[in-house]
Amino acid sequence: MSLAPFLLTFKLALCATAILTATGIPVALWLANRRSLLASGLEASVALPLVLPPSVLGFYLLLLFRAKGPLGAAWERFFGHPLVFNFEGLVLASVVFGFPFMVQPLVAGVRSIPKELIEASATLGKPWWTTLVRVVLPNMKASILTGCVLAFAHTVGEFGVVLMVGGNIEGETRVVSLAIYDAVEALDYRSAHVYASVLFAFSFLTLLVAYRVNRRFFSA
Amino acid sequence: MIEAHLEKDLFGASGSFRLSVNFRVDDGQCVTFYGPSGAGKTTILRMLAGLETPQEGFIRVNGESWFDAKKRVLLPSHKRRVGFMFQSYALFPNMTVGGNVAYAMQKKSSAKLEDLLGLAGILELKDRYPSTLSGGQQQRVALIRAVASEPKLLLLDEPLSALDIPTRLELQDEILRIHRLFGIETILVSHDKQEVFRMADRVLSIKEGRIHAEGSPRGVFFKRRFSPKFAVTGRVLAIERADIVFRAFVATGTEILQVILGERDAKRFKPGDEVLVASKAFNPMLLPLFEPFDTQAPQHASPVTIGYVD
């Protein structure tokens, strides 16, 4: 029993959610009003992690991330340490895996903004970035919050991808879900209970707070 | 002064047609585009605002070129300085009334903001959010927000169509007052003849993408063979036989008129037709609208009396 898996899990979830927010918003803005084949293709690939078993995606990410893989080789040349079995690799894999959980609420949020609001802002002399910051984003706060909560909660709950890409290295890649698995394997049910119940309660509380906030502050 | 020549293929409910219009708005004028829905009126406004791009033509505002197909000039919407009032008002729900108007102002100043809000009679609504306002209040906010950006051209897209009639009349006056006060060239889209009559210096009547009549509202709507003393336009609701004559019910604005017809006229018109109810021989009375009719008043010899709103 140690606190390390918890700290690692939250660090991972925070990093992944921050990267997902920064990348998800531009992707969602681009996707929301496009009808091209390219956009449909991108939308489908973004949603893939929802339907694929984590082992499938984890396997391909492993091939991509390993020292001989295209991304792994470049990473090692650049940063001097491998991507696979490493915290950074875990963050990257979580970002890929969490993408639909962030992007889908955001796309719905962008689509829910009446086109006239954006047009009105333009006719009032505002360039697109002012419109984005002052009109578009503030009117999809609820979707941004939903995306963040889902991405965060999903990363906390990840198992398969983490196992494939991260291995199970204490203090580096052993997140709570892996620690539970280890404890059960070792027949240490007491530790497994502690890890599992804390994760259970935490996930429930996160979702509860998010839905409360959404209902109280953003229901127009 | 605004000069425009605009061409664009449109796909309407009744098939595709080419929008092709040529018009001018003189300094300080209020011009109305009048016509049935789907005629291309809103598209013209959107092209002037830069929200849609014409295929051919040009737009020149006070000598400045906003669009020119030949010279490949296309000024983006946010550089055009137009005040556009949308049918849905398009108020920003995340900002207060004051915030909405301040957003439009080029130089922020709380004194000027209060001036503008006071002008529209909505100073006390400054800290309210749009979702808590009535339709008429939202309309005032949208109007003053459009003016707050100091536009060179004010474009109003059927701004009053969603309001009830008393509010509509009140806001027509409001728009006229603001238009005169700021002296901004204004283009109003409307399919309501009463509105056009009250508001416009000039009307361009548009059908299927073409201007088919142009001039003063009186000139355009009363281009008739005779000059009636009394005339209202309306739509035939029903024609029924009453002994040897026929009785037509005609809806005009808020009233329904009853007109006696001979057999020949009864056959000429059918329910749904747009008609002019006119008379040369008698003088219509004006009666107060919101007081009960005085039954003791002497009856005039004429067979029809009509309470005439205006």
Side-chain angles (χ1 to χ4, degrees):
Chain A
M1 261 292 296
S2 90
L3 214 58
F6 284 111
L7 293 178
L8 191 68
T9 302
F10 297 137
K11 198 170 107 185
L12 174 68
L14 275 179
C15 290
T17 306
I19 295 173
L20 278 170
T21 312
T23 53
I25 288 175
V27 170
L29 289 172
W30 190 85
L31 268 182
N33 299 310
R34 297 284 192 301
R35 279 188 211 147
S36 63
L37 188 64
L38 183 68
S40 305
L42 182 65
E43 208 166 4
S45 359
V46 163
L48 265 184
L50 288 176
V51 292
L52 279 180
S55 51
V56 172
L57 207 66
F59 175 61
Y60 284 116
L61 286 177
L62 186 64
L63 292 187
L64 199 65
F65 285 6
R66 71 190 171 140
K68 283 183 191 158
L71 195 63
W75 184 277
E76 199 159 347
R77 210 172 313 127
F78 229 80
F79 295 101
H81 60 84
L83 190 56
V84 84
F85 304 133
N86 187 296
F87 181 71
E88 280 104 327
L90 215 54
V91 171
L92 219 56
S94 300
V95 166
V96 173
F97 220 57
F99 226 67
F101 298 92
M102 177 60 86
V103 169
Q104 289 194 342
L106 291 183
V107 168
V110 179
R111 285 189 181 143
S112 73
I113 294 174
K115 206 175 83 195
E116 289 97 66
L117 292 188
I118 294 161
E119 292 179 342
S121 178
T123 62
L124 293 172
K126 306 300 174 195
W128 69 266
W129 57 88
T130 309
T131 304
L132 177 68
V133 174
R134 300 276 315 273
V135 177
V136 177
L137 294 181
N139 282 308
M140 52 181 283
K141 272 183 292 196
S143 308
I144 296 173
L145 181 74
T146 306
C148 286
V149 168
L150 288 180
F152 187 88
H154 183 257
T155 308
V156 167
E158 225 164 65
F159 180 76
V161 170
V162 178
L163 191 65
M164 295 289 274
V165 177
N168 190 356
I169 301 161
E170 173 137 38
E172 184 68 33
T173 62
R174 184 179 294 163
V175 293
V176 179
S177 58
L178 294 185
I180 296 170
Y181 181 71
D182 276 354
V184 173
E185 287 267 273
L187 297 175
D188 178 5
Y189 279 26
R190 212 185 128 258
S191 298
H193 259 315
V194 174
Y195 286 135
S197 55
V198 170
L199 205 59
F200 192 98
F202 175 80
S203 298
F204 178 74
L205 282 176
T206 312
L207 292 174
L208 183 71
V209 168
Y211 287 131
R212 264 331 278 168
V213 169
N214 244 339
R215 201 157 288 180
R216 290 267 313 256
F217 296 107
F218 302 138
S219 56
Chain B
M1 186 176 73
I2 292 127
E3 291 168 289
H5 170 69
L6 304 167
E7 301 227 2
K8 188 176 178 114
D9 291 323
L10 295 185
F11 306 96
S14 55
S16 64
F17 60 90
R18 189 164 181 90
L19 177 74
S20 173
V21 292
N22 230 319
F23 60 88
R24 212 181 68 200
V25 182
D26 290 325
D27 288 345
Q29 255 192 349
C30 177
V31 170
T32 307
F33 291 140
Y34 169 82
S37 53
K41 304 177 305 268
T42 298
T43 308
I44 297 172
L45 283 203
R46 292 176 58 82
M47 290 194 283
L48 289 171
L51 301 173
E52 259 173 67
T53 311
Q55 284 158 325
E56 295 292 335
F58 60 82
I59 301 169
R60 276 195 288 273
V61 176
N62 303 329
E64 189 188 359
S65 183
W66 282 6
F67 169 74
D68 196 319
K70 285 207 187 75
K71 293 180 192 153
R72 298 190 164 273
V73 177
L74 179 64
L75 201 64
S77 197
H78 70 271
K79 290 191 175 152
R80 289 198 183 189
R81 312 258 315 266
V82 294
F84 198 112
M85 211 173 118
F86 293 81
Q87 228 172 337
S88 62
Y89 312 136
L91 298 176
F92 304 123
N94 58 313
M95 300 178 200
T96 58
V97 167
N100 265 280
V101 178
Y103 183 79
M105 288 162 61
Q106 298 190 320
K107 291 185 199 99
K108 315 278 181 233
S109 120
S110 58
K112 198 176 159 218
L113 173 64
E114 297 204 343
D115 277 356
L116 283 169
L117 293 174
L119 201 66
I122 50 171
L123 188 55
E124 73 279 12
L125 304 177
K126 190 179 168 200
D127 297 318
R128 297 259 297 267
Y129 281 89
S131 59
T132 67
L133 304 180
S134 71
Q137 289 170 328
Q138 291 189 25
Q139 201 268 355
R140 283 166 194 270
V141 179
L143 177 65
I144 210 69
R145 185 182 71 174
V147 173
S149 64
E150 295 172 37
K152 293 175 181 164
L153 175 59
L154 193 57
L155 304 172
L156 312 173
D157 185 10
E158 303 208 20
L160 308 174
S161 56
L163 303 173
D164 57 66
I165 289 180
T167 316
R168 193 187 293 191
L169 295 177
E170 196 186 312
L171 285 165
Q172 284 170 355
D173 290 340
E174 187 77 24
I175 291 175
L176 274 181
R177 195 168 65 87
I178 300 277
H179 162 72
R180 288 187 187 130
L181 196 65
F182 288 86
I184 311 166
E185 285 87 302
T186 301
I187 299 179
L188 171 81
V189 160
S190 179
H191 60 238
D192 176 358
K193 274 190 180 155
Q194 279 189 24
E195 194 163 289
V196 175
F197 249 93
R198 275 174 77 101
M199 316 265 308
D201 298 315
R202 217 146 56 81
V203 52
L204 307 176
S205 178
I206 295 176
K207 243 183 212 158
E208 297 216 315
R210 312 261 160 180
I211 297 174
H212 75 104
E214 179 176 355
S216 70
R218 207 162 290 277
V220 169
F221 295 146
F222 290 114
K223 216 180 271 171
R224 318 280 181 204
R225 289 181 302 279
F226 64 103
S227 55
K229 268 195 161 173
F230 159 80
V232 289
T233 58
R235 197 172 285 278
V236 178
L237 293 177
I239 298 176
E240 63 183 32
R241 182 183 274 279
D243 294 332
I244 55 164
V245 292
F246 289 83
R247 199 162 21 199
F249 295 92
V250 183
T252 65
T254 56
E255 307 298 326
I256 294 175
L257 307 181
Q258 233 186 85
V259 183
I260 302 298
L261 300 177
E263 188 166 357
R264 204 159 56 99
D265 280 338
K267 282 185 177 149
R268 241 174 96 200
F269 299 110
K270 59 180 187 310
D273 283 353
E274 210 180 355
V275 293
L276 186 72
V277 181
S279 172
K280 270 186 113 161
F282 76 97
N283 205 25
M285 298 160 54
L286 292 187
L287 302 172
L289 187 55
F290 293 115
E291 278 170 38
F293 285 60
D294 186 355
T295 47
Q296 300 304 310
Q299 293 294 309
H300 285 250
S302 77
V304 195
T305 56
I306 291 158
Y308 193 22
V309 190
D310 208 319

